[in-house]
Amino acid sequence: MPQRDAYETDWIVEVNESLKCMPTDERQYWKKRSIYRVPTSVTDLNRKAFQPQSVSFGPYHHGKSHLRTMEDHKCRAFLQFLRRSGKPLDPFLESLREVARDLEESYDTLGPEWKEGGREGAGDRFLKLMIIDGCFMLEILRAATQEVDDYEPDDPIFHTRGMLYIMPYIWPDMLMLENQLPMLVLDRLVAVESDGKEDDEYINRLILNYCSPVKHTARIGKCLHVLDVVRKSLLLYEKPKPDKVGCEGFLLVRSATELIEHGIRLKKSKTKSLTDISFAGGVLSLPEVVVEEATESMFLNLITFERFHVRTGNEVTSYIYFMDYIIDNVCDVTLLHNLGIVLNVLGDDKETTELFHLMAKYTTIEPDNSLIAVCNEVNEYCNKPWNKWRANLIQTYFRSPWALLSLIAAIFLFALATIQTVYTVLSYKT
């Protein structure tokens, strides 16, 4: 029997140890993950959309050089949070320690420097990161929604100047998949601070009121992190499921301008839910979407979250996939903007067109998605001869006042000629 070298022996020991550590129920193992590393194949679409530019939350980007300036502000916010709560650090730390393993397992890939079973003291380092970043996030949310105002007037982050110049950059960072904190951290901190008086929706309302000036009252339910809260808020609409769905014809969906040419009217849906897309009586209803600086980053991270966290569904992905067909060129964006469906804050229709094409890259749609049924209904309507004829008539004779006047004149002359012919025939008979 050949002798094993030291490298082979070490590898055998490593494999045997790994076998001992393998979870007996892999379903539970994967179920706990909710914060994922984004692969290069995805980040290559737009690196800035996935890499925080001003502040890190959690372990993945902690300590990066361009984010270190915010660490001192985190410590200030942490101390201010403790002072306002009137409680020492111990109860907060102990509350998080109770769920430390759950917090660790929320992360897809966590280095040994953060794991309790890894390097000595790693567990305490991880808890310290969770509590400081968690307090900072809560202070940001509260300051942005004017729930707290006990910072000095010249505070560079939490007062007027910070609201104008810093906060707009923090919000996109809070929506990045790699930059999430488990919602359990915020829940535990608030529970200790308020002695359990705040309900489950308190943090959800803080998050939604930060990203929108409109006060939110709808109940979102339990969420995994900030990105999950935003995703669920975009889908708040119970859409009835169609009797049947099928893939046939989905790829034949026409652009907005082509739909108009085929006699279909477009209008804004009654809600802003991305799932509120319907077709009835020749009218295609689409939800309003605001396109601004943070839109690309937000949607790319939502799409990536749906891709890796399979239990969420793929409603956001399907919406972007669908809109990529509706928006084929600049004319489509202009049309949708005039109808109030695409509120283009960017101001450049070409840029918005390219944005939807970029976001839709590498997206797909599930076979049983309800949008397929909507698209099939639209295509059936477009393919009916009467609808085609009526659309051609409208496009040919009613697109401009001159074409309409020419049609009226032709009808008038035809009527005169008919009357003259009838009069001549009657005169001949008499």
Side-chain angles (χ1 to χ4, degrees), residues 392-415:
N392 288 332
L393 179 67
I394 293 172
Q395 292 298 318
T396 304
Y397 295 106
F398 295 94
R399 293 189 72 170
S400 71
W402 298 112
L404 179 60
L405 288 173
S406 299
L407 177 63
I408 293 173
I411 294 173
F412 181 70
L413 290 174
F414 177 75

Side-chain angles (χ1 to χ4, degrees), residues 68-188:
R68 286 176 188 163
T69 54
M70 198 62 74
E71 294 303 312
D72 289 339
H73 297 302
K74 285 184 183 181
C75 292
R76 286 194 309 105
F78 169 56
L79 294 175
Q80 183 75 347
F81 175 90
L82 290 177
R83 184 170 67 177
R84 189 188 308 113
S85 72
K87 294 179 171 65
L89 172 61
D90 295 25
F92 294 100
L93 192 58
E94 287 306 311
S95 181
L96 291 183
R97 196 182 300 279
E98 292 173 2
V99 293
R101 180 59 62 88
D102 291 328
L103 297 177
E104 286 182 13
E105 292 178 345
S106 296
Y107 290 91
D108 179 36
T109 56
L110 201 60
E113 69 274 16
W114 298 107
K115 289 186 177 179
E116 199 165 347
R119 216 165 54 192
E120 186 177 354
D124 290 337
R125 185 186 179 204
F126 179 76
L127 286 179
K128 178 183 176 182
L129 176 70
M130 291 292 102
I131 193 170
I132 290 178
D133 281 9
C135 289
F136 182 67
M137 183 176 285
L138 283 171
E139 291 296 278
I140 289 291
L141 293 172
R142 288 167 167 174
T145 55
Q146 299 179 342
E147 186 171 308
V148 298
D149 58 356
D150 52 357
Y151 287 91
E152 294 298 322
D154 55 350
D155 190 289
I157 302 293
F158 297 101
H159 221 275
T160 306
R161 191 172 181 83
M163 295 296 114
L164 290 174
Y165 296 104
I166 305 297
M167 290 295 184
Y169 296 97
I170 292 178
W171 174 242
D173 286 353
M174 288 175 67
L175 293 179
M176 294 178 183
L177 181 56
E178 292 188 347
N179 212 33
Q180 297 299 302
L181 284 178
M183 188 64 73
L184 186 56
V185 173
L186 306 184
D187 287 338
R188 288 273 171 157

Side-chain angles (χ1 to χ4, degrees), residues 141-252:
L141 293 172
R142 288 167 167 174
T145 55
Q146 299 179 342
E147 186 171 308
V148 298
D149 58 356
D150 52 357
Y151 287 91
E152 294 298 322
D154 55 350
D155 190 289
I157 302 293
F158 297 101
H159 221 275
T160 306
R161 191 172 181 83
M163 295 296 114
L164 290 174
Y165 296 104
I166 305 297
M167 290 295 184
Y169 296 97
I170 292 178
W171 174 242
D173 286 353
M174 288 175 67
L175 293 179
M176 294 178 183
L177 181 56
E178 292 188 347
N179 212 33
Q180 297 299 302
L181 284 178
M183 188 64 73
L184 186 56
V185 173
L186 306 184
D187 287 338
R188 288 273 171 157
L189 292 175
V190 169
V192 174
E193 178 197 32
S194 67
D195 296 318
K197 294 177 182 177
E198 295 291 354
D199 63 14
D200 293 338
E201 292 293 325
Y202 169 72
I203 298 172
N204 293 343
R205 287 194 298 270
L206 277 181
I207 293 168
L208 296 179
N209 290 337
Y210 177 23
C211 69
S212 172
V214 180
K215 294 295 180 183
H216 292 266
T217 57
R219 298 188 68 83
I220 303 292
K222 285 284 185 181
C223 295
L224 300 167
H225 37 61
V226 171
L227 187 64
D228 192 33
V229 173
V230 172
R231 179 185 175 277
K232 287 180 177 177
S233 73
L234 292 172
L235 306 176
L236 280 176
Y237 172 67
E238 293 186 7
K239 185 174 183 178
K241 291 186 178 181
D243 295 331
K244 61 178 182 176
V245 295
C247 293
E248 65 276 8
F250 184 77
L251 297 180
L252 298 177

